[in-house]
Amino acid sequence: MAADAAARGFQDNEVWVWLLPNARTRARVERRTYRSQVKRIFVSRKSGWTTREGTGTALWFPPGTEKMRLSESLAEAAAFMPEGLTRMGKARRLEAAMNSHKPNEPHWYLSLLSVEPDSQGKGHGSALIKPGLEAADRQGTGAYLETQRESNIGFYENFGFELTGKIWIDDEIPLWLMWRPPQP
């Protein structure tokens, strides 16, 4: 349910459109990808949250848990197949660019925050982001994210994130990098 809401919320996401231009293919691959991620990556880390209604999800990597086990990497790749096979080069370049800009210090990494379109603007995103931020605060660590939409920057700034940079993927897709320093 939460993974399906995430897929609906990211259906028009610029990175996904760039990776998989066909809307039907994209919807199918996104649904499989988020279902796999929730089940095989974030449940075991106890770092995924959803709304009671299942209208969205927030998926976080706690400090030191971003490196995936082989089984997790294979499950993530399998969810992308076969439709994404021709797009693997783009996906690798995206991942490499994102990884090269992540902070070196321990942090909670917001991998995904998505709310289905009909539920956006109703406070679900705010409710979903808070558990990860509270966990970071309890541990005295920072939090980090990338956003594909400049319009999201203000939302994240409301939670203490600061814009630290902007990168381009293949000179086509911008990503804004944001850091939230450890909170007292």
Side-chain angles (χ1 to χ4, degrees):
M1 187 158 60
D4 292 344
R8 287 189 298 275
F10 268 68
Q11 181 59 30
D12 67 343
N13 177 274
E14 293 81 358
V15 170
W16 275 105
V17 171
W18 172 73
L19 283 171
L20 297 167
N22 181 284
R24 287 181 59 154
T25 299
R26 185 171 57 252
R28 204 170 34 252
V29 171
E30 283 182 272
R31 208 171 25 258
R32 285 195 314 251
T33 298
Y34 293 131
R35 285 177 181 170
S36 176
Q37 286 181 349
V38 167
K39 180 179 178 181
R40 301 188 187 273
I41 298 170
F42 294 98
V43 167
S44 66
R45 288 169 173 79
K46 298 179 180 159
S47 59
W49 289 270
T50 187
T51 60
R52 182 171 289 124
E53 304 82 10
T55 56
T57 190
L59 303 175
W60 292 83
F61 281 100
T65 67
E66 280 186 64
K67 184 170 174 68
M68 291 193 276
R69 295 185 302 272
L70 178 61
S71 62
E72 294 170 335
S73 295
L74 291 174
E76 190 172 53
F80 204 63
M81 299 299 160
E83 296 93 336
L85 185 59
T86 61
R87 304 301 188 158
M88 288 303 284
K90 280 186 168 189
R92 282 192 207 109
R93 289 191 302 278
L94 170 67
E95 186 176 0
M98 289 169 51
N99 287 337
S100 71
H101 289 86
K102 287 184 180 159
N104 291 323
E105 65 188 90
H107 63 277
W108 277 72
Y109 171 56
L110 180 59
S111 177
L112 173 86
L113 176 62
S114 180
V115 175
E116 64 184 17
D118 291 345
S119 299
Q120 292 176 3
K122 299 177 181 176
H124 296 283
S126 296
L128 286 166
I129 198 172
K130 287 180 182 176
L133 294 177
E134 290 168 355
D137 293 347
R138 280 192 305 276
Q139 294 179 0
T141 63
Y144 176 76
L145 63 85
E146 305 99 359
T147 183
Q148 303 85 302
R149 293 192 175 153
E150 190 171 16
S151 61
N152 289 343
I153 293 171
F155 171 81
Y156 292 118
E157 286 176 336
N158 290 333
F159 295 96
F161 283 91
E162 302 165 356
L163 184 63
T164 61
K166 178 181 177 182
I167 60 173
W168 287 87
I169 312 302
D170 287 356
D171 294 324
E172 296 178 58
I173 299 294
L175 291 177
W176 286 267
L177 314 176
M178 302 193 77
W179 172 254
R180 181 180 182 261
Q183 304 291 303

